[in-house]
Amino acid sequence: MRNNTVKLLSTLLTLMFVHLAAGQPPASQLNLMPVPEKVELLAGKYRLDAGFTVRIAGAQSGRLVKGASRILDRLTGRTGLFLANPTPLLDASAPAAGMLLTAGRQGELAPLQDESYDLVITPDGIKMTAETDIGIIRGLETVLQLLDADENGYFFPAVRVHDKPRFPWRGLLIDAGRHFIPADIIRRNLDAMAAVKMNVLHWHLTEDQGFRIESKAFPKLHQLGSDGLYYTQAEIAGIVAYAGDRGIRVMPEFDLPGHATSWFVGYPELASAPGPYTIERKWGIFDPTFDPTREEIYQFLTTFFAEMATLFPDPCWHIGGDENKGHQWDANPEIQAFMRKNGLADNHALQNHFNMRLEKILDKLGKTMVGWYTDAPPELNKKYIIEVWKGREAMYDMVRRGYRSLLAYGFYIDLIQPTEYHYANDPIPVDSVLTEREKAMILGGEATMWAEFVGPETIDSRIWPRTAAIAERLWSQSEVKDVAEMFRRLAVVSVQLEELGLTHIKNFDMMLRRLAKRHPVDELKRFVDVIEPMYTYSRDRPHVFKSHYPLTRVVDAALPDPPAAREFDLLVEGLIAGGKEQEECLKSLTIRLETLQADYPRLMETINGSPVLWEVRPLAEGLAVCTTIGLEALELVKKQQKPASAWIEIRLALLKKAQVPSGEAELLIAHSLEKLVKSMARPDSPPRK
């Protein structure tokens, strides 16, 4: 931990105070994310000008032509160059091009596809080869990340790259069931996924709160179960094709037997208890559950699945399957009689019975069933893929039982956890005791964006840029784990993602302007920069949330793992550690605290003038206390004085009070200053917890 802090602090201070000399950067300074398997820096640069062209040799799939065209478009957007040939050349007899792309074949949109590529850039040109067109598409993102500039213009550094993913499954789950996420937002997130080499969109389409896809076979599903917020079949087909052009699979999730209220609004006869049913407006785990004992249920699902299979060609199909309490089953005499007759000892056995029936339906459609981990092991065909959300040990148990697995645990980006935490969450850490056969059964993992507390305005800021760190964990080798380097590159990639239409940066200012109304936003912005939304599972107090509640408050605008608060904490740790950076840490902390202190009068004027901000007034008042304590502490450090124990006790009590959440957000710098004050205790004082 100490080494990580020193590296992070060094990176931060370099970014703040040092301008790198012009010239070829070392390989470690390339802004590549995820880090390729092998990178070798060569001599020289390839200069980019308006005559730059791209030629495609070998297999010429439509996906590859579109991918090369997109890269050319993004190159012109970044450079402002008027390229003479804005589309790739396909004629084998065309003159030599600046970049030559050669794919062996068209890749399939299926698990375990070859996504490797080899890239060589010299002063004479760029050459990329790959077994599949998907490999070329992955490599093109690397080329774009290599773009650099100096006093002579734009260039690519001369480099040799050999690259392939560590895990074949690198997914992002987007939950459109709890809050509907419009199609344009799905598309821009697909672009971002492609930019960091992710390859599976896991689309959660049904929930207690909404059925989000048009069904022509059973139209009451979307007509009555969605509040009119659903994807048409034409939209679904368009998004699947859009993803396919980027080498991304789309796996649907139709959640059952639980999390199923929206199915029953139009078709109550599917449920294990009589209706009527209405769309659920709260969050949680609810009782409505499919009845697994009736043949009509399987006839219905056979027809529905067949219809949906025409829209989703992916070989994998997610059934959900978790968090079924079985209360409706327990209360239904017919279901209990069925269980006794068929020797089903408990609800887990009944759900296994249900899943085995689903598996047969999906198998006829050529689909491999995927489901969430449940507390007891399944009794299914070993083709079944288990997505684990209860810890790595649960995943290890599943692979030892012969089931292929995905890791979602530790990648729940909706929970507002630090980027560093997700980055350290390796599905197969170096100390793993798994055999090689067992390791091979871990397909990868997924970042999961559950949507209780996100909507169209905020979803990008909850996914990005943290998911780029998860993408690197799943693509790059296990040895790539330098946290400071990750944050350095993440800052660059975060800005680059904006060109794809993502709103994770710009919506922050927009939401604050709306909250501030007629007041200036600068002071409010610096305040929100040092607070963070509470851990998601803590947000149900004092409110009992409903799906129609607003997502426009400070807690919604505030960023997970806010960079300003993280930098402040690093500076505090650097100050405590001493050494050559201590003086710069002291100066920077003083400037930041003085700025926040000077902001206070206008910040309170903004808060008092906008009722929607009143709930965070205690945090603003706590910030005023923190700035005073912080500046007092820095003055003592500057004078090399140790405070009296009474001073420490009083300040720690005040800082503890400032840490109390308000408006479902918390003041992060209060935690940082608590560390500083504790570090100032006299050597003969008792240790402080």
Side-chain angles (χ1 to χ4, degrees), residues 18 80 298 345 365 410 422 604:
V18 178
Y298 302 106
L365 295 170
H422 297 308
M604 290 306 294

Side-chain angles (χ1 to χ4, degrees), residues 49 81 263 339 523:
D49 57 33
L81 289 171
W263 296 74
M339 292 173 66
E523 294 82 9

Side-chain angles (χ1 to χ4, degrees), residues 249-260:
R249 300 163 42 216
V250 179
M251 176 181 67
E253 180 179 348
F254 299 101
D255 210 343
L256 64 173
H259 287 286

Side-chain angles (χ1 to χ4, degrees), residues 52-184:
F52 180 74
T53 56
V54 173
R55 184 158 68 88
I56 297 176
Q60 295 184 356
S61 68
R63 177 164 53 213
L64 182 50
V65 173
K66 292 177 184 177
S69 298
R70 286 195 305 273
I71 292 299
L72 283 166
D73 184 59
R74 288 162 67 190
L75 268 177
T76 60
R78 289 191 188 181
T79 63
L81 289 171
F82 298 155
L83 294 183
N85 287 285
T87 57
L89 307 173
L90 306 180
D91 187 351
S93 63
M99 180 159 63
L100 178 65
L101 308 175
T102 306
R105 61 179 174 86
Q106 181 173 335
E108 297 179 29
L109 289 171
L112 305 178
Q113 287 296 292
D114 191 322
E115 299 176 83
S116 66
Y117 65 92
D118 287 282
L119 168 67
V120 179
I121 301 177
T122 69
D124 298 324
I126 303 171
K127 293 183 178 180
M128 189 190 308
T129 59
E131 171 65 22
T132 69
D133 57 345
I134 296 174
I136 295 288
I137 286 173
R138 303 291 179 250
L140 286 171
E141 295 295 344
T142 299
V143 171
L144 199 60
Q145 289 183 348
L146 285 167
L147 180 67
D148 207 340
D150 59 17
E151 66 277 6
N152 296 314
Y154 289 99
F155 69 90
F156 294 103
V159 69
R160 180 180 289 111
V161 175
H162 172 74
D163 200 11
K164 67 177 185 294
R166 183 180 173 209
F167 292 103
W169 192 306
R170 307 173 307 282
L172 169 64
L173 177 150
I174 294 182
D175 170 12
R178 292 174 174 86
H179 278 113
F180 182 66
I181 307 300
D184 61 318

